[in-house]
Amino acid sequence: MRMVIEVHVVASLTGKLSDDQLKQLYAILDEQDICAETRNTNRYHQLDLDFHTTLAELHGNSEMVRTLQQMRDKMYRLSRRLHRIHPERLSLNAQQHRAIVDAIREGEIDKSRKSMQAHLAWGRAFTLDPNGRMGGDWQRLTVAAG
């Protein structure tokens, strides 16, 4: 469900955000970088939620915002636990977010779609197999979408 909604959201926003809207997203990204560096997992987790919610809010479809918030609420405890267990993955997550916003800013619809798809696929793999027991390489899923 997130793949459908969030890929649609970024494609719809690509090349259409104002400077102020982009500044809002980059402010989240800048703080994420700091939290990843200091391994402040609690704050990082909130910023992760803010990032995805802000994209949906900028899209302007309140039903999509509500749906994403409900899904994120259900995963809240699991996501927080995974961030605490694997803080080394925060910086990679932040890089993925930055690649999405950069593609939106640059007006690259295909790149924004692929960046979000890769990010969500990475998150799904990380959630389902956080310790790589199934042999998956979580880093492989982060190959640049461009």
Side-chain angles (χ1 to χ4, degrees):
M1 174 89 77
R2 285 188 64 200
M3 187 73 74
V4 171
I5 292 172
E6 294 195 60
V7 170
H8 170 75
V9 164
V10 297
S12 297
L13 296 175
T14 299
K16 298 177 183 168
L17 294 182
S18 70
D19 287 343
D20 286 342
Q21 291 169 322
L22 287 166
K23 283 180 188 176
Q24 181 182 3
L25 290 168
Y26 280 113
I28 293 169
L29 299 178
D30 291 344
E31 191 175 351
Q32 280 185 323
D33 288 341
I34 293 166
C35 289
E37 185 177 313
T38 61
R39 294 190 173 203
N40 182 346
T41 59
N42 287 334
R43 179 66 184 143
Y44 188 94
H45 180 73
Q46 183 57 53
L47 291 165
D48 183 56
L49 297 174
D50 292 349
F51 174 76
H52 290 276
T53 302
T54 298
L55 286 171
E57 288 170 347
L58 291 172
H59 180 270
N61 184 315
S62 60
E63 187 60 33
M64 286 182 182
V65 172
R66 187 170 38 261
T67 299
L68 287 173
Q69 286 174 334
Q70 288 171 345
M71 284 188 283
R72 299 296 291 195
D73 288 346
K74 290 179 182 179
M75 293 185 57
Y76 181 78
R77 287 176 47 184
L78 174 62
S79 296
R80 282 198 54 205
R81 184 176 67 82
L82 291 174
H83 283 146
R84 280 193 313 271
I85 293 171
H86 294 286
E88 73 280 4
R89 297 182 183 181
L90 297 179
S91 62
L92 189 51
N93 189 18
Q95 290 170 20
Q96 293 170 3
H97 286 172
R98 193 168 294 276
I100 293 164
V101 176
D102 289 346
I104 290 170
R105 186 194 73 236
E106 294 162 6
E108 299 284 342
I109 292 176
D110 194 48
K111 188 175 179 182
S112 67
R113 280 187 189 123
K114 287 180 181 179
S115 296
M116 182 59 83
Q117 287 169 338
H119 174 63
L120 294 175
W122 176 79
R124 180 176 53 229
F126 177 42
T127 300
L128 296 176
D129 187 25
N131 298 311
R133 292 185 184 137
M134 297 168 68
D137 180 3
W138 59 270
Q139 289 179 318
R140 180 182 51 79
L141 294 171
T142 64
V143 174

